[in-house]
Amino acid sequence: MGRRNRSSSIGQAPPRPPARGTPRPDPAPCRALLGGLVHASDAGGRTAVHRAVVEASPDPGRLGGEEEEERARLDGLYLLSKLPERASELDRAEASWSAGGGGNAEGGHLGRMMLARDGESGYTPLHLTVARRDLTSLLVLLDAASSVPGGTTDGDGPGGSGGRAAAHPLRLLDGNATSDGSDGTLMRAAAASTDREGLTPLGLLGASSRVGLGRTRDSLRYRNLTR
């Protein structure tokens, strides 16, 4: 009489419990962190992004010499790249958690960050980069503003990798949408934002350039008269 095979569960993995739905993350702590540290303004009405622009801008008179100047600039540029990136990540996460799955680019955390005005001149971060003549900071913020919270851009910043190459900076400041597949909603809103004098970032660039050209012209005229 042959041996009878017996079934055994020895050495076998225990049965898995029924899969449960993945709990939905709570975005409230992230909102509180952004609200308290990033969106909040100081006595001058400047947010963390405004202050990062100031840090990133060249300042020959900064205490500590060239070494301190370089360190402050790198710190400011790091914040300018990472703050919009994290805000955009939270916008995408909240859009995926919401029932509608979408969101308003201007009303999200990235939009609030890019459109915030300071209390002195009504400058947005873009205005401030123009006023301080800081091209590097301007390009970083243009990359962030021309990215879509849904992540459909092909950019280096919040939405992808290479957005700056999609359009010339002056075209972006003029309110032209990017050519990388994004709708440019936030970029158009940032380009259309005005300071207390009613100037857009591009208008501020033109006005300050005219003043600089006028001073140069007057200086050359004075030199010719004194020869």
Side-chain angles (χ1 to χ4, degrees):
M1 186 174 177
R3 295 182 61 186
R4 186 175 179 182
N5 293 330
R6 292 180 301 171
S7 62
S8 173
S9 62
I10 298 176
Q12 296 180 359
R16 295 182 179 180
R20 297 180 179 179
T22 303
R24 177 172 296 184
D26 182 10
C30 294
R31 290 197 195 106
L33 185 63
L34 280 175
L37 298 179
V38 180
H39 294 318
S41 56
D42 59 16
R46 290 182 172 179
T47 66
V49 181
H50 287 102
R51 295 192 293 274
V53 170
V54 174
E55 281 293 298
S57 303
D59 184 3
R62 186 172 288 158
L63 297 177
E66 294 182 1
E67 184 176 346
E68 178 62 22
E69 164 78 4
E70 182 66 14
R71 185 200 63 78
R73 288 212 68 196
L74 291 176
D75 287 348
L77 288 172
Y78 179 81
L79 287 174
L80 281 182
S81 64
K82 292 303 178 182
L83 288 176
E85 184 178 315
R86 296 295 175 259
S88 184
E89 288 176 356
L90 183 56
D91 283 337
R92 291 198 298 271
E94 289 188 340
S96 66
W97 298 335
S98 66
N104 183 353
E106 297 179 44
H109 296 288
L110 179 59
R112 183 178 173 187
M113 185 178 291
M114 296 299 303
L115 299 176
R117 292 174 170 84
D118 67 19
E120 180 180 356
S121 302
Y123 284 171
T124 66
L126 276 179
H127 282 93
L128 195 56
T129 61
V130 171
R132 298 183 73 88
R133 287 291 194 270
D134 187 0
L135 179 60
T136 304
S137 297
L138 175 65
L139 292 176
V140 172
L141 290 181
L142 286 176
D143 188 29
S146 60
S147 300
V148 175
T152 59
T153 65
D154 185 19
D156 274 337
S161 62
R164 280 199 299 266
H168 192 280
L170 289 179
R171 286 192 59 209
L172 292 173
L173 285 175
D174 197 30
N176 289 289
T178 59
S179 58
D180 54 16
S182 62
D183 63 4
T185 302
L186 178 55
M187 185 63 251
R188 284 193 295 271
S193 61
T194 56
D195 61 13
R196 293 191 185 280
E197 295 183 358
L199 296 174
T200 64
L202 185 59
L204 178 63
L205 176 61
S208 56
S209 297
R210 284 194 297 272
V211 171
L213 288 173
R215 289 175 179 172
T216 301
R217 184 170 56 249
D218 292 342
S219 176
L220 292 174
R221 186 177 302 162
Y222 175 77
R223 288 179 186 177
N224 291 331
L225 290 175
T226 55
R227 283 180 179 177

